[in-house]
Amino acid sequence: MRSLQSEIEQRGRRIFKLVEEHPEPLFSKAGFYQRLMALSMRDERFKVQLFRFVDVLPSLRSSSEIVEHLEEYFADTRDGFAPFIGAGVRLVRIVPWISGRVLRWNVSGMARQFIAGKNPDDVMATLRKRRAQKIGFTVDLLGEAVVSETEADEYAARYLDLLESLARETKNWSDPLGKNSELFPVVNLSVKISALYSQMSPADPADAIAHLAPKLRPLLRRARELGAFINFDMESYAHKNVTLELFKSVFTEEEFKDWPHAGIVIQAYLRDSEADLRDLIEWGRARGTRFAVRLVKGAYWDYETMISRQNGWDCPVYFQKPESDVNFEILTRLLLENETIVTAAFGSHNVRSIAHAQALADELGIDRSRFEFQLLYGMAGPIKRALVEMGYRVREYCPVGELLPGMSYLVRRLLENTSNEGFLRAKFAENVSAEELLRDPAELVKSDGAGPPEASASAKVPADKPVPATAQDRYRKNGASLGTAPGDIYQNSPLVNFVYKDSQDKMQSALREVRKRFGEKHPLVIDVEKVWTDNLTPSINPSEPTEIVGYAAEAGIPEAERAVKAARAAFSKWSRTPFEERARLLERAADIMERRRYELSAIEVFEVGKPWNEADGDIREAMDFCRFYAQQMRRLGRPRLTQQVPGEESYYHYWPRGVALVIAPWNFPIAILCGMASAALVAGNTVIMKPSEQCIICGAMLMQIFEEAGVPPGVLNFLSGHGSVIGAHLVDHKDVDLIAFTGSREVGLKIWESAGITRPDQRQLKHVICEMGGKNAMIVDSDADLDEAIGYSIYSAFGYQGQKCSALSRLILLEENYDRVMERLIPAAASLRIGNPEQPGIMVGPVIDEAAYRRILDYIQVGKSEATLAYQAKEVPPHGYFIPPTIFTGVNPDMRIAREEIFGPVLSVLKVRDLDEALEVANGTDYALTGGFFSRSPANIERVKAQLEAGNVYINRSCTGAIVGRHPFGGFKMSGGGTKAGGEDYLLHFLVPRVVTENITRHGFAPEEMPEYREEFLWPAAR
């Protein structure tokens, strides 16, 4: 009996033989396209520039724009491509109107290789040709990115229209094979669920299902009446669990429970795909009706690896392509062994994977008419012909749509065709031998030093799962080089990934537990003593102001004096404590936060109205501050030699400043308070920590954490109370040496002014670290990707109710694209989920308190008198401090709503002539905190990088969400003094520099060379 591998090789060679009877290049369109793709495979930089140009081209309105972008992307092309590209650039300069049309026509032709038609009528010509070749179809609508429910409803209607059209035009068609045709309806429609709901949140699958199921039922109902098949496509990992749950939920309903013509995709590159498939099969058996699975490798590898790296998550996909190939074969066996309940469709262009499915089916005695192969339109034509000739059922995945919404699909196909590891490139472009292409992929994985994927994938990759060396090199955190000393490598804490049910359950449990503790009382902490006063300050839940989250003792002048005295007394010892001990204190605090992460996030949800992901991001930032500043102090702590000079040594080092007063805001209640306090502590200062009155429970929790971490008596003191009383008193105090403040411009300027006054008996000049507000602008260029621009603008303006100093307040639109942006911006704002952030998936919750509520409403009235109210949400919860998201148009730069910080969900839209005016408007405020720009013009992007006045400039992304170490945060002008929290130079503001010089010559003799670093100057010397 022949081995399975022998059978695979036999079938693979048979396919290759048939392929060679109809030879075809990898890129079947000759000329322009074939030459560009060949260049792309030879040069990675050219490939990147080409794909970016292809991406932007459909949005360019004129030939002159096309010419400008072509020059910007390719004018400096080198490495032997200059003659080809240079000639093109010179041509477009001479005759831009002709060249622009030719370029657009050529790229449209490139797209037509992969996109089967512009509309249902157009695609029918393609489908008729395929029918003559005995190839079936599944049709998909391109452009799954929706930013509003208006767009989602339009997609639902288009899916229904497409279904009707396909059924009408193919009513007399029959299955090409005939046998077992009842399993394979002629009409097959693929649906992307992300196109049907704009507010999908991985944290709230129940909400997604509640909105998606009603939109799907009419489509499913009609498909059943027409005898059609519906397949749920699988997209990014964030939507995977929702898609699976939706599929199982809808097809368990009584109306659809006995309908077999429904399917779903499983992506073999996912590490948890086997667990998902086993769960589906178990569900299918319980349901008692056949269903289908399209098994694919997966098309979002680059995106998934990038997102997981950015967020510090375990990567959901296999790092090596052979691992995905091995898993594909494991899942193929699982599907075929359960053929009695599931119909398999194998979606791959890899002849090894195809031959494996064929051989295994024969081994299991499954007739070839009971499964099918699916391949993409425009790719692997010879393989499709070979499979048809071998008597297998073949279906082609045919995308339908215009070029602009189809760009993301086109770029994915171009990436697949030019990938170094792609099968089609190996076979049709590089002529790799059949023997090599048919090798067992498990051998390739082992040869790279890593075993094949486990037979049973877990729901989440364990943190200690070994990663292949090649992957470790590729995914090294923060770009740290291999030559960097281990102590200098800093890694951000990962965000909680609410894709996982385990994370969702932990957050729900934490919310329940924290609610049980409502009303708890918290003392002041002075010199490690718990201090109670006659007055208790309540902390109110802004979502439900009748609920008191907790109480904290209210400090007065006597308590402030005690705190200063304790801090001053503790300074002498703490300032001479080795920096390593201080760094370890911060790291212990971070570890405690990690342990209490969900609890702390839940407190923020209740006390300051943060949505789940925003609250978790705040705790992550606090942990990052602790670990980053600990690492930075290790870098700064050892005295460093200034120069190598014979006979003399001079060492540069730092001393702490003294007693630090930390005054923090409520909008990042743990992160900012922790960041300023931990920086002061690790630098050797003693600290009086005063949180905002609106987040005293968060402040008390942070004090608890540092107490548990072992902060010595008097080193960190916790005072809650009114800023106008104890804050003002401490700012003016002669024994307070350093003030670290984050908050409003009004208070910040008062502190700055007051600190400049020298008090009687004051020992040194007060140093002020002052971070204030912003009036942040984002500019949308005429060639911007509007899917990105709208989504990021909405999040930047209305995420956490606009209560971030970094939030978008002014959206500046060029008049050329003003109408295009506004027709999508308003429906996107109208689609936002507004509600109590205790519920998952909410973006817009309450503002912090009644004073903020009334102040923002007053600004909205100002806006109505100055500008045009373009949009205001109509439905907000009846209780709590909820402000409806509001958008004004017709805004001029000199209006109050365009100049003054509102700190709420209010967005001003300004129309400008061109980029010159856009920059003038963006820079024309008192503030310079964050700013953003959406563009696909390399020249314009470089100009904005150079000219936009902001401490943090963001290109083609949100202008909020700075990450410690990655995006050091802070502004200038009236946004602050130029400090950068989470940056390498931040600790220097908490230190004073000192140089110690010694003449080391003795009777003409001196050491030849001094060490670059020496131990700290401590006395008595630490043992």
Side-chain angles (χ1 to χ4, degrees), residues 444-694:
L444 302 176
V445 175
K446 290 174 183 175
S447 67
D448 278 344
E454 297 296 327
S456 183
S458 61
K460 186 175 181 183
V461 184
D464 60 352
K465 183 177 179 68
V467 178
T470 52
Q472 288 178 337
D473 294 343
R474 191 161 53 224
Y475 296 97
R476 188 167 292 276
K477 300 281 186 178
N478 301 321
S481 69
L482 293 172
T484 307
D488 291 336
I489 296 176
Y490 166 73
Q491 295 186 4
N492 294 105
S493 306
L495 290 167
V496 166
N497 191 347
F498 287 111
V499 163
Y500 300 110
K501 188 175 186 303
D502 178 61
S503 300
Q504 299 164 21
D505 291 344
K506 285 179 179 176
M507 188 64 186
Q508 294 283 14
S509 175
L511 289 164
R512 289 192 296 270
E513 291 303 311
V514 168
R515 180 173 280 282
K516 292 176 184 176
R517 289 161 28 197
F518 274 16
E520 283 186 355
K521 300 176 177 63
H522 301 275
L524 312 175
V525 180
I526 302 173
D527 203 13
V528 93
E529 180 186 344
K530 304 292 188 289
V531 177
W532 297 95
T533 62
D534 294 337
N535 295 321
L536 290 175
T537 303
S539 179
I540 304 300
N541 179 357
S543 297
E544 185 52 72
T546 60
E547 295 179 346
I548 296 177
V549 180
Y551 298 87
E554 182 181 316
I557 302 301
E559 289 75 31
E561 285 293 333
R562 283 182 62 184
V564 174
K565 184 178 179 180
R568 176 58 63 191
F571 177 71
S572 61
K573 183 177 181 181
W574 183 246
S575 63
R576 300 298 180 261
T577 298
F579 68 80
E580 182 60 33
E581 289 185 30
R582 305 196 303 256
R584 287 176 182 170
L585 171 71
L586 266 59
E587 289 169 340
R588 289 194 298 272
D591 292 342
I592 295 165
M593 287 184 227
E594 186 93 62
R595 190 185 75 229
R596 298 178 62 180
R597 184 169 192 163
Y598 290 94
E599 172 204 355
L600 296 171
S601 292
I603 292 170
E604 291 200 5
V605 169
F606 289 121
E607 190 172 33
V608 298
K610 281 209 179 243
W612 286 21
N613 63 321
E614 300 277 357
D616 177 69
D618 192 60
I619 307 308
R620 183 257 197 124
E621 186 173 13
M623 294 188 295
D624 281 354
F625 276 136
C626 287
R627 291 167 177 153
F628 180 75
Y629 292 149
Q631 182 257 0
Q632 288 298 307
M633 196 61 224
R634 290 188 177 104
R635 183 177 64 85
L636 296 171
R638 286 189 298 164
R640 179 176 52 84
L641 190 70
T642 57
Q643 292 181 354
Q644 288 285 355
V645 178
E648 180 181 279
E649 65 170 28
S650 287
Y651 280 95
Y652 192 106
H653 77 126
Y654 300 95
W655 272 357
R657 289 182 175 272
V659 174
L661 170 63
V662 170
I663 304 174
W666 49 262
N667 61 334
F668 292 88
I670 293 180
I672 294 180
L673 183 64
C674 179
M676 294 190 294
S678 62
L681 288 170
V682 81
N685 303 282
T686 52
V687 178
I688 301 166
M689 183 171 72
K690 185 206 165 297
S692 171
E693 293 98 304
Q694 292 93 337

Side-chain angles (χ1 to χ4, degrees), residues 174-312:
S174 59
D175 176 72
L177 282 188
K179 189 176 182 182
N180 287 310
S181 59
E182 70 281 0
L183 301 178
F184 303 94
V186 169
V187 175
N188 188 306
L189 183 66
S190 291
V191 177
K192 286 184 170 62
I193 66 168
S194 66
L196 301 178
Y197 183 37
S198 65
Q199 304 300 303
M200 282 176 64
S201 167
D204 197 358
D207 171 79
I209 292 170
H211 284 83
L212 288 163
K215 293 181 181 179
L216 280 166
R217 288 187 191 107
L219 182 68
L220 300 177
R221 201 168 288 135
R222 187 59 179 144
R224 185 167 190 175
E225 293 168 356
L226 294 171
F229 182 98
I230 299 292
N231 195 81
F232 284 23
D233 271 354
M234 198 63 76
E235 305 168 79
S236 67
Y237 190 73
H239 296 327
K240 189 256 299 179
N241 289 343
V242 171
T243 305
L244 288 166
E245 289 305 311
L246 175 69
F247 182 80
K248 291 186 289 186
S249 174
V250 169
F251 292 107
T252 307
E253 294 175 4
E254 197 61 37
E255 182 177 3
F256 304 113
K257 187 176 182 179
D258 60 347
W259 187 38
H261 296 148
I264 191 168
V265 170
I266 289 290
Q267 298 162 309
Y269 70 177
L270 293 180
R271 297 174 186 268
D272 52 10
S273 53
E274 185 183 348
D276 289 335
L277 182 54
R278 288 188 182 278
D279 181 69
L280 271 174
I281 290 169
E282 183 179 345
W283 165 83
R285 293 200 180 280
R287 174 176 176 249
T289 304
R290 176 177 283 273
F291 69 103
V293 166
R294 177 197 297 152
L295 180 61
V296 302
K297 301 287 174 67
Y300 299 82
W301 188 91
D302 295 272
Y303 174 80
E304 300 294 1
T305 53
M306 176 185 68
I307 290 297
S308 61
R309 288 182 68 195
Q310 285 182 358
N311 293 314

Side-chain angles (χ1 to χ4, degrees), residues 78-133:
R78 298 291 183 267
D79 301 328
F81 306 136
F84 176 66
I85 300 299
V89 171
R90 287 192 296 274
L91 175 64
V92 298
R93 285 179 185 148
I94 298 168
V95 279
W97 62 275
I98 295 178
S99 310
R101 290 179 184 175
V102 169
L103 275 169
R104 192 186 296 276
W105 181 81
N106 271 305
V107 172
S108 296
M110 187 188 305
R112 283 192 294 272
Q113 170 153 342
F114 304 109
I115 299 173
K118 289 190 284 187
N119 51 52
D121 293 335
D122 193 26
V123 78
M124 282 311 303
T126 298
L127 302 187
R128 290 188 184 98
K129 290 178 184 176
R130 295 299 181 267
R131 183 191 179 208
Q133 298 166 356

Side-chain angles (χ1 to χ4, degrees), residues 18-54:
L18 291 170
V19 163
E20 286 158 8
E21 290 176 4
H22 304 280
E24 182 179 298
L26 172 57
F27 310 113
S28 56
K29 287 187 177 296
F32 176 85
Y33 174 64
Q34 189 171 335
R35 191 160 184 186
L36 285 183
M37 291 301 98
L39 290 177
S40 295
M41 289 192 295
R42 288 165 50 194
D43 186 89
E44 187 65 25
R45 183 177 178 278
F46 177 81
K47 173 179 170 178
V48 169
Q49 294 299 90
L50 173 64
F51 288 6
R52 287 181 173 178
F53 179 70
V54 167

Side-chain angles (χ1 to χ4, degrees), residues 758-777:
T758 304
R759 316 289 170 180
D761 299 323
Q762 183 175 320
R763 280 177 290 242
Q764 62 177 307
L765 299 176
K766 291 182 189 280
H767 186 74
V768 178
I769 300 161
C770 194
E771 300 174 39
M772 299 181 288
K775 192 66 182 174
N776 310 303

